[in-house]
Amino acid sequence: GYNNVDCEYAKDRGITVTNIPTYGTASVAQYTFALILAYCHHVEHHSKTVFDGKWTSCPDFSYWDYPLMELDGKTMGIIGYGIVGRGTAETLINNHETIRQKTGLDIRLAAVADLNIDKRTNDPLLAHIPIKATDANDLINNPDRDIIVGLVGGYTHAKTFMLAAIEKGKHIVTANKALLAVHGKEVFSAVRQKGVEIGFEASVGGGIPIIKV
């Protein structure tokens, strides 16, 4: 990420550093829902245990060794309404009816929290989101929120929000790879203790060297 680049070093050596904030908005939003579906069904784990012979040795015809989550009727809250946050909201809102008709699932984006949400008075997308809050704790402390999508950068507030949501029994999806790199042990320990799920995006391009030609 841009925040991991030594910009002063690059500047002193004439290396141009730039960020492309919208290059992957749609794909990251799509990946958010892929993660939610993944920890609802644990497809990879189920496949592995079937190949390991656990289904054939199971006394029941229907084999599962992991609790399943029904998405129908679940509500989602987004913390962080930047480019990716808005893109995620747009993906769900624009496809809500299609998803409901094809799958019968009613997955609703019920709330969004962002410090500057009150300034987005001309954003038509917000009319479809019932709760708009400037304090993320309004989402975290609401028992009606089942899934929290954390799209806030940094290590401080993002960590506080994530741990508080886990403590409240919320399932988490996050795009904050830096937070997990620094505080991953603490976060994963909290996830195990509360019995919730966390989905996170993999690092992209982290090992590509910059070559000045």
Side-chain angles (χ1 to χ4, degrees), residues 62-75:
S62 181
Y63 162 70
W64 299 101
D65 71 342
Y66 210 103
L68 298 180
M69 179 199 300
E70 289 284 350
L71 270 182
D72 189 34
K74 292 287 189 294
T75 62

Side-chain angles (χ1 to χ4, degrees), residues 32-46:
T32 297
F33 300 110
L35 288 170
I36 292 172
L37 290 170
Y39 65 59
C40 284
H41 292 282
H42 301 278
V43 175
E44 182 180 5
H45 171 80
H46 184 72

Side-chain angles (χ1 to χ4, degrees), residues 74-149:
K74 292 287 189 294
T75 62
M76 188 172 76
I78 294 177
I79 299 176
Y81 195 71
I83 292 172
V84 174
R86 190 185 187 282
T88 302
E90 186 175 26
T91 298
L92 181 56
I93 290 169
N94 288 348
N95 293 283
H96 174 266
E97 189 59 24
T98 300
I99 294 171
R100 191 189 64 79
Q101 288 179 356
K102 291 188 176 182
T103 68
L105 297 177
D106 182 21
I107 312 168
R108 293 176 291 113
L109 174 57
V112 61
D114 190 279
L115 284 174
N116 298 312
I117 201 70
D118 291 340
K119 298 178 181 178
R120 295 177 173 266
T121 54
N122 296 323
D123 187 341
L125 203 63
L126 291 175
H128 301 277
I129 305 174
I131 298 174
K132 280 82 70 175
T134 55
D135 187 350
N137 290 301
D138 291 349
L139 275 63
I140 294 168
N141 294 324
N142 190 325
D144 293 333
R145 299 293 82 77
D146 302 297
I147 301 165
I148 296 292
V149 179

Side-chain angles (χ1 to χ4, degrees), residues 168-183:
K168 293 288 185 179
K170 315 293 185 186
H171 301 288
I172 304 292
V173 173
T174 180
N176 193 334
K177 301 177 289 291
L179 171 61
L180 294 180
V182 176
H183 299 292

Side-chain angles (χ1 to χ4, degrees), residues 2 18-26 28 82-85:
Y2 189 92
T18 185
N19 190 24
I20 308 173
T22 60
Y23 79 98
T25 304
V28 173
I83 292 172
V84 174

